[in-house]
Amino acid sequence: MESPPAFGNVGLTDLKQTGGYTLFAENLPIPDTSFEQPVDADGSPVALVVMKNNGFAESSSHTDSHGTLTVRVRLQSTVTIPTGHSQPLSFVNAAGDRADLKGVLHWAWAGAWLYIFPADGVDASTFNSMFAAGDTIFLSKVQSPLALEDNLGLSFVSGTDASDTMEGDPGWRASSRNARLRYGSTPSAARDYFVWTINVFPRVVPGSTFFFRQYVVTGNYADAAQLSRDFVPHARQGFVTNHSAVEGFGGRELVVHARSHSSALPYVAVSTSSAESAVMLAVGCPVVCSGRSTPLPNLRALFHITCGQHSYIGHDPEHFNTEPGSPTAVRAYDCGTGDSTGDQPTFTLLGFFPLDSCSAVQSATLNFSDCHDQCPDDPNKVLPGSCDCGTSDADSDGDGALDNCAFGGQPQDACVNDANKTVAGSCGCGVSDVDSDGDGALDNCAFGGQPQDACVHDANKTVAGSCGCGVSDVDSDGDGALDNCAFGGQPQDACVHDANKTVAGSCGCGVSDVDSDGDGALDNCSFGGQAQDACVNDANKTVAGSCGCGVSDVDSDGDGALDNCAFGGQPQDACVHDANKTVAGSCGCGVSDVDSDGDGALDNCAFGGQPQDACVHDANKTVAGSCGCGVSDVDSDGDGALDNCAFGGQPRDECVDDAEKVIGGMCGCGLNDVDSDGDHVADCKDACPQDALRIVASACGCDASCGEVVPTCSDQLTNGDESDIDCGGSCDPCAVGMLCSHPSDCDGQTVCAQLDAESVCAVANNSAREAGQYVAVEATISGAVTHNDFRGELAAAFVQHLSEVLGVPEDYIVIDRVRTTNSIAVSFSVRVPPSGAEDEIVSNLGAALASNASNAGGRSNLANALVQERPELAAKYVLQHVVCGGGGVRSGHMCECR
């Protein structure tokens, strides 16, 4: 074919118009190296004159964009010629010096700048040394260094696309387009490879295969043309729909094997037959993936590409072809350096494989020698093995020593059928040279002047003797009985160092078995569960014990004092049947002399003028008296009621210093509870004790009226038809604990019930108390409150807080009576739980109601809690006294309801 079109142009020629092949030369000589200067628009040659000294310099932006060194120089003003030249040229100066170029980018850009691509090894300094200001640049073609006959040729035989080269269904191709040859140079210096390709336009339908058989011819250029013409008739194109009718269409199976290597990357090889694959497996190259030798549906071409030290196995033929920094640059012949004459990749088509099925070896390198038969002349081996090719590695007896060569520190086996020997040794192959007992006589053969050992496990004998192998024939004590066996009518001697015994007996060898006192304990040893007899003449003792041989050590009462002798710091026991006494003492044997309370009267007997103590834990009493042991019978105020207990029909005195009272009542000890005006308020709390209509003086004082008194429900008096102060009758119902005359006097949550001599409003389910024990309490709530305040949430909070501090259910707390003066007096009862923890309830009541200095205003703990409900309360609760009410029988703080 002709030379390619000018730079940036492409030629298109139908294959029918070609000879059927394209022949490339290595570097043909040219007949004329002269090159005409570029011309302007009128066709006049343009002179290229350098503007200044050292004017040649790199244009780095063009170098980056084109991927190759670009140099520019300023010319003396001329016409604009933006085109260039894609073939190698030489710049020549007036002296005939030359410097080569790869090509010219612009002859005269903007009428002033010449841009060139210097050849490898040439740079701006080369041209600055050749051309000074005013020098003209002359041009010349570059002559080939090779003669015509020295050129190599490369020919691609594609056929002429004539009708006799077509096969298959005539509808396979588009009739409007012929196959064509496309050739020329790329228009961009970034894509500076030569363009040559064959374009065909088949109409491939699903399930069909287009084929195009072409040939590549290499050799001497002078002969390549004729050889190419010979192949042209054999080029074929066609269309296959019936694949099964095409013999060998599927090609051969190809298998990729891999082998690990000491380097970082594994080696791979490709087998083309099952036999070859079997050999590769045998030499340690496992299968990675498999494919075919011809393209089939769903298979992709698999390449091995190398670039310098880099290796790639995969489907991408342009794995190394992108120029750094220029995503548009494609140089399949470049290893990514951007230099077309630098490292060039090598391509090997391995076959056609499923997509990414071989990705495990992407970084491997191709090396067939590592996976092929390394012993090609030895039909029995594919690897040299231990003994090298041509020699079997057999180890017939499996002892690790090979039959045919020395290997792995083992000599060649001289006894190939004896797994225990590699040399014949003393007894020969197949017979062990063992001397089991190490006595110098071998177990299995006579050797070295020694007979074969008849006692192979007895280092002291080679014949059996009297006792047999492994047993010594010695008689240590010379009594005729052998130490180790029965022989000559004598039993085996069990006492080898005792000439008087042949059996150990009771006491063992060397010790007599005598029992002098016949008690079963031997004189000289322990035997049969008996210790050695320390009292050889006392049939009742085998040890001297506490009282010595001949005297019994009995302790009849087990108190540590022996019946028959003094021992261990104890005297002989005078009370042998009393474990608590060794002498008779004050009360005699069998009776304790204890005085538990230290009052001089013994607990268990009369002694020293004192009677037997009836109150053993009360140092102040020897008889129970009125209050019983542990409780004093004192009556401090002489009123007949004892301070500490109920006795003789009198309750326990709560007012021990008040001879007039035994309970605190409304006014407490020392004050009379009299109610002079009968208004249910004691004189001690009534500011008008002689005026039944008032408990506080009116503006006119007690017993005086400032006018007609009209009863109201807020006058702090019990008047009109009220049953208690400002409640009942026509006023609001009374709260729990207030007096009532009729059920209607009480609110809906209470009933009018009898309490002692009074009728009061009580919680309905507490009006008839269950039988049991109760702690009765009176307390005072001080502050700006009335009886009407003690209802609803305040009364509920009162019961709730008491329940929490006393640890009893809320329904165990019964409000009995509520009285109002300048404060509210509350009488309530606490039922004692079945567990009977009455002392704990009384203790907790005292703690809850007593003044507490740590609280504000010295309030009690219960008051401190209730102040959250009614902040106006002074809220100081005082435990005044504990009483019995409702017909209860008093015992201490307790009232028993019957």
Side-chain angles (χ1 to χ4, degrees):
M1 58 174 284
E2 297 295 331
S3 296
F7 189 89
N9 295 322
V10 175
L12 295 173
T13 302
D14 285 354
L15 286 185
K16 293 179 179 180
Q17 300 173 2
T18 70
Y21 67 94
T22 305
L23 177 59
F24 296 89
E26 185 179 5
N27 195 346
L28 292 174
I30 54 179
D32 182 9
T33 61
S34 62
F35 186 84
E36 294 182 0
Q37 296 289 112
V39 297
D40 58 19
D42 298 330
S44 302
V46 175
L48 305 176
V49 181
V50 176
M51 181 72 146
K52 62 179 182 177
N53 293 334
N54 296 316
F56 288 85
E58 180 184 2
S59 174
S60 57
S61 62
H62 287 80
T63 298
D64 291 341
S65 62
H66 294 285
T68 186
L69 177 64
T70 306
V71 171
R72 69 176 185 172
V73 61
R74 183 70 180 268
L75 302 175
Q76 292 183 4
S77 180
T78 183
V79 296
T80 296
I81 307 177
T83 59
H85 186 74
S86 62
Q87 299 298 312
L89 292 174
S90 295
F91 276 9
V92 183
N93 62 13
D97 301 321
R98 306 172 64 91
D100 292 339
L101 316 176
K102 294 178 183 178
V104 176
L105 180 60
H106 304 297
W107 286 117
W109 184 261
W113 292 97
L114 169 62
Y115 288 83
I116 59 176
F117 300 127
D120 293 339
V122 179
D123 58 19
S125 63
T126 306
F127 298 107
N128 284 327
S129 67
M130 293 173 55
F131 299 99
D135 287 348
T136 298
I137 300 173
F138 299 101
L139 304 172
S140 171
K141 296 178 182 177
V142 178
Q143 183 58 274
S144 169
L146 299 176
L148 176 65
E149 59 272 15
D150 295 329
N151 267 258
L152 296 177
L154 173 64
S155 177
F156 293 91
V157 181
S158 53
T160 60
D161 199 29
S163 59
D164 60 351
T165 68
M166 307 303 168
E167 297 180 5
D169 187 341
W172 69 270
R173 51 177 289 179
S175 58
S176 61
R177 305 193 72 177
N178 296 322
R180 67 189 185 186
L181 169 66
R182 189 172 190 264
Y183 60 98
S185 297
T186 58
S188 170
R191 298 168 58 90
D192 60 357
Y193 51 79
F194 179 77
V195 175
W196 181 89
T197 183
I198 300 294
N199 300 134
V200 294
F201 304 96
R203 180 182 297 149
V204 182
V205 296
S208 63
T209 301
F210 170 71
F211 66 88
F212 190 171
R213 184 171 66 193
Q214 303 178 57
Y215 298 92
V216 178
V217 176
T218 61
N220 186 275
Y221 174 76
D223 302 325
Q226 183 55 51
L227 189 58
S228 298
R229 285 191 290 272
D230 293 341
F231 275 98
V232 167
H234 300 285
R236 286 289 186 271
Q237 301 177 54
F239 188 67
V240 177
T241 55
N242 185 6
H243 298 89
S244 61
V246 181
E247 182 179 356
F249 180 82
R252 293 169 295 168
E253 181 181 34
L254 303 179
V255 179
V256 175
H257 295 257
R259 184 169 186 175
S260 297
H261 193 265
S262 59
S263 67
L265 300 179
Y267 288 157
V268 300
V270 182
S271 66
T272 59
S273 67
S274 58
E276 188 177 24
S277 183
V279 169
M280 291 185 179
L281 287 172
V283 300
C285 295
V287 172
V288 176
C289 53
S290 60
R292 308 296 298 181
S293 61
T294 58
L296 289 174
N298 299 320
L299 299 184
R300 295 279 300 276
L302 185 72
F303 300 97
H304 175 230
I305 308 173
T306 61
C307 271
Q309 299 299 315
H310 302 289
S311 178
Y312 166 75
I313 293 178
H315 303 294
D316 183 7
E318 298 180 352
H319 182 74
F320 294 109
N321 73 0
T322 299
E323 175 190 0
S326 178
T328 61
V330 178
R331 292 186 168 90
Y333 56 82
D334 187 12
C335 282
T337 63
D339 182 355
S340 62
T341 60
D343 291 336
Q344 295 181 345
T346 61
F347 289 80
T348 302
L349 177 63
L350 301 182
F352 300 88
F353 292 78
L355 181 65
D356 294 333
S357 61
C358 305
S359 59
V361 291
Q362 178 173 320
S363 301
T365 187
L366 197 63
N367 186 330
F368 282 87
S369 61
D370 261 24
C371 290
H372 279 174
D373 190 347
Q374 298 178 28
C375 296
D377 298 323
D378 185 342
N380 297 313
K381 299 178 78 171
V382 295
L383 291 170
S386 304
C387 295
D388 213 345
C389 298
T391 304
S392 170
D393 295 336
D395 176 9
S396 301
D397 52 17
D399 59 1
L402 304 182
D403 297 357
N404 301 308
C405 69
F407 180 74
Q410 290 274 34
Q412 182 173 348
D413 197 346
C415 295
V416 297
N417 295 312
D418 185 345
N420 296 311
K421 301 178 78 172
T422 58
V423 293
S426 303
C427 295
C429 295
V431 181
S432 171
D433 296 337
V434 69
D435 176 9
S436 300
D437 53 17
D439 59 0
L442 302 182
D443 295 2
N444 300 309
C445 69
F447 180 75
Q450 289 275 29
Q452 183 174 346
D453 197 347
C455 295
V456 297
H457 297 295
D458 186 345
N460 296 311
K461 301 175 78 171
T462 58
V463 294
S466 301
C467 293
C469 296
V471 181
S472 171
D473 297 335
V474 68
D475 177 10
S476 299
D477 54 13
D479 59 0
L482 299 182
D483 294 1
N484 300 309
C485 70
F487 182 74
Q490 288 275 30
Q492 181 177 345
D493 195 346
C495 294
V496 298
H497 299 295
D498 186 346
N500 296 313
K501 299 175 78 171
T502 58
V503 293
S506 302
C507 292
C509 298
V511 182
S512 171
D513 297 337
V514 68
D515 177 9
S516 299
D517 55 13
D519 59 0
L522 302 182
D523 294 359
N524 299 310
C525 70
S526 300
F527 180 74
Q530 291 274 33
Q532 182 177 346
D533 197 346
C535 295
V536 297
N537 296 310
D538 184 346
N540 295 313
K541 298 179 76 172
T542 59
V543 293
S546 303
C547 295
C549 296
V551 181
S552 171
D553 296 335
V554 68
D555 177 8
S556 299
D557 53 14
D559 58 0
L562 304 181
D563 295 2
N564 299 312
C565 69
F567 179 75
Q570 290 274 31
Q572 184 173 347
D573 197 348
C575 295
V576 297
H577 297 295
D578 185 345
N580 296 311
K581 302 178 76 172
T582 57
V583 293
S586 303
C587 294
C589 294
V591 181
S592 172
D593 296 336
V594 69
D595 177 10
S596 298
D597 52 14
D599 57 1
L602 302 182
D603 294 1
N604 299 310
C605 69
F607 179 75
Q610 289 275 29
Q612 182 175 347
D613 196 347
C615 292
V616 297
H617 297 294
D618 186 344
N620 297 311
K621 301 175 77 170
T622 58
V623 293
S626 301
C627 292
C629 296
V631 182
S632 172
D633 296 336
V634 68
D635 177 11
S636 300
D637 53 13
D639 57 1
L642 302 182
D643 294 2
N644 299 310
C645 70
F647 181 74
Q650 288 276 29
R652 177 183 173 186
D653 195 349
E654 292 186 1
C655 296
V656 297
D657 296 314
D658 186 346
E660 301 298 326
K661 300 179 75 172
V662 294
I663 59 174
M666 290 292 291
C667 295
C669 297
L671 295 175
N672 196 321
D673 290 339
V674 68
D675 179 10
S676 300
D677 54 10
D679 60 359
H680 302 294
V681 179
D683 292 358
C684 65
K685 299 181 181 294
D686 194 341
C688 294
Q690 303 301 323
D691 187 346
L693 298 177
R694 295 178 176 83
I695 58 173
V696 293
S698 69
C700 299
C702 297
D703 299 317
S705 174
C706 297
E708 183 181 354
V709 177
V710 179
T712 70
C713 294
S714 59
D715 55 11
Q716 293 291 299
L717 298 175
T718 303
N719 51 20
D721 60 354
E722 298 168 348
S723 61
D724 206 337
I725 296 174
D726 293 339
C727 72
S730 59
C731 293
D732 290 339
C734 294
V736 64
M738 303 295 287
L739 294 175
C740 59
S741 302
H742 187 272
S744 62
D745 291 333
C746 300
D747 62 24
Q749 297 180 351
T750 58
V751 297
C752 188
Q754 188 69 27
L755 177 66
D756 293 337
E758 296 178 314
S759 294
V760 297
C761 294
V763 176
N765 61 357
N766 289 326
S767 61
R769 296 185 185 170
E770 297 178 8
Q773 291 183 317
Y774 291 77
V775 176
V777 186
E778 286 191 3
T780 299
I781 308 174
S782 59
V785 293
T786 68
H787 71 282
N788 280 323
D789 294 305
F790 196 74
R791 65 170 71 211
E793 292 182 359
L794 184 58
F798 181 84
V799 172
Q800 176 189 345
H801 291 308
L802 275 176
S803 169
E804 291 172 356
V805 299
L806 299 182
V808 299
E810 291 186 19
D811 60 5
Y812 273 40
I813 299 170
V814 181
I815 296 177
D816 298 316
R817 181 77 169 91
V818 179
R819 300 176 181 85
T820 180
T821 56
N822 291 326
S823 58
I824 295 178
V826 183
S827 298
F828 62 93
S829 301
V830 182
R831 183 181 177 190
V832 179
S835 61
E838 61 271 10
D839 290 339
E840 182 179 353
I841 290 177
V842 172
S843 175
N844 289 341
L845 273 167
L849 298 176
S851 241
N852 188 340
S854 63
N855 293 333
R859 297 183 185 120
S860 66
N861 290 338
L862 182 57
N864 225 32
L866 285 183
V867 103
Q868 304 300 320
E869 305 292 335
R870 293 294 299 272
E872 67 271 18
L873 292 176
K876 185 180 284 188
Y877 290 81
V878 180
L879 178 62
Q880 295 187 330
H881 56 272
V882 178
V883 299
C884 280
V889 178
R890 176 187 172 82
S891 174
H893 284 296
M894 299 307 302
C895 296
E896 185 173 358
C897 184
R898 295 179 179 173

